[in-house]
Amino acid sequence: IDRDELEAELDNNLGFYYFTLGRYKEAEENIKRSVDWFTKTYGRHHLRTAVPLSNLALVYHEIGAYERARRLFKLNLKISRSTVGDKHLFTSIDMANLAGLLMDAGDLEEAMGLYEQTLALTSELLGKNHPYTAVDHSNLALAYAADGQYERAEDHLKAAIVIINQTPGAIALLGTSAFQNLGGVYID
């Protein structure tokens, strides 16, 4: 790795750190520099460009710039499919990111469809009892709950909880969100 590439990686990492702190302007500036370098060096549709693009999309999603985020999440999904294929964890993650944006933007039908695909793919790749599969169950449950499909939401949250309870260290990895989400479904 050369100095310029290292700088671009550091810009992306620092930008993501700013994102986690809620410092979105600084996050956007750093990540954009990284995107620009990777795009210039590897091209817009290269897997190396996809990581900072995804992080930039996360920033736009968080600040409510949904259309910009949607374009970048869709581009990332296209990059994943064309470089690593449809049956890869990167593709699953990109589908979940796009689904989360669609859910927040109010497009529940498309979000649920992507979350269903994500759950199926993660189950196939990592197994039905993997902690990341529990995350996908939980995400799909939230979409169902937002759509008023509480029984389906409850089923997926219970499936997530079973996985978490059967997997040593899963609560430390994933937190207690599935339990909290199930409580929210019961309250609704």
Side-chain angles (χ1 to χ4, degrees):
I1 191 166
D2 70 12
R3 181 183 172 91
D4 290 337
E5 187 162 354
L6 181 59
E7 235 177 81
E9 284 286 345
L10 290 172
D11 269 335
N12 182 55
N13 293 343
L14 181 59
F16 190 77
Y17 176 69
Y18 284 140
F19 169 77
T20 63
L21 295 176
R23 294 167 58 178
Y24 303 121
K25 184 174 177 39
E26 293 157 294
E28 181 182 15
E29 291 169 359
N30 280 273
I31 296 169
K32 272 186 170 181
R33 273 196 306 273
S34 180
V35 168
D36 290 345
W37 188 89
F38 281 105
T39 300
K40 183 179 78 178
T41 304
Y42 292 104
R44 184 80 166 167
H45 295 92
H46 194 279
L47 195 56
R48 294 285 289 141
T49 308
V51 173
L53 276 174
S54 181
N55 288 341
L56 187 58
L58 290 171
V59 171
Y60 290 149
H61 180 180
E62 193 64 31
I63 64 172
Y66 291 154
E67 198 47 49
R68 284 193 281 178
R70 181 188 308 242
R71 281 195 307 273
L72 293 180
F73 281 139
K74 283 187 173 187
L75 176 58
N76 254 37
L77 183 54
K78 181 178 179 182
I79 292 169
S80 288
R81 285 182 166 149
S82 68
T83 56
V84 297
D86 287 331
K87 304 258 183 207
H88 195 280
L89 195 55
F90 287 171
T91 305
S92 178
I93 292 166
D94 289 336
M95 283 192 300
N97 285 339
L98 178 57
L101 170 74
L102 293 169
M103 192 169 112
D104 289 347
D107 190 348
L108 294 176
E109 189 172 318
E110 190 174 354
M112 287 184 291
L114 278 172
Y115 277 141
E116 288 166 355
Q117 291 175 49
T118 301
L119 174 59
L121 181 56
T122 303
S123 295
E124 180 182 335
L125 294 172
L126 301 176
K128 293 182 186 270
N129 294 314
H130 192 279
Y132 291 151
T133 305
V135 170
D136 288 342
H137 274 292
S138 187
N139 287 338
L140 181 55
L142 291 176
Y144 283 143
D147 194 46
Q149 298 182 49
Y150 299 113
E151 287 182 22
R152 291 180 88 178
E154 179 182 12
D155 291 343
H156 282 283
L157 287 169
K158 284 180 176 179
I161 289 169
V162 166
I163 295 167
I164 291 167
N165 284 333
Q166 290 176 350
T167 308
I171 290 179
L173 176 67
L174 305 173
T176 59
S177 61
F179 297 99
Q180 293 165 342
N181 294 340
L182 182 59
V185 167
Y186 286 144
I187 289 170
D188 287 342

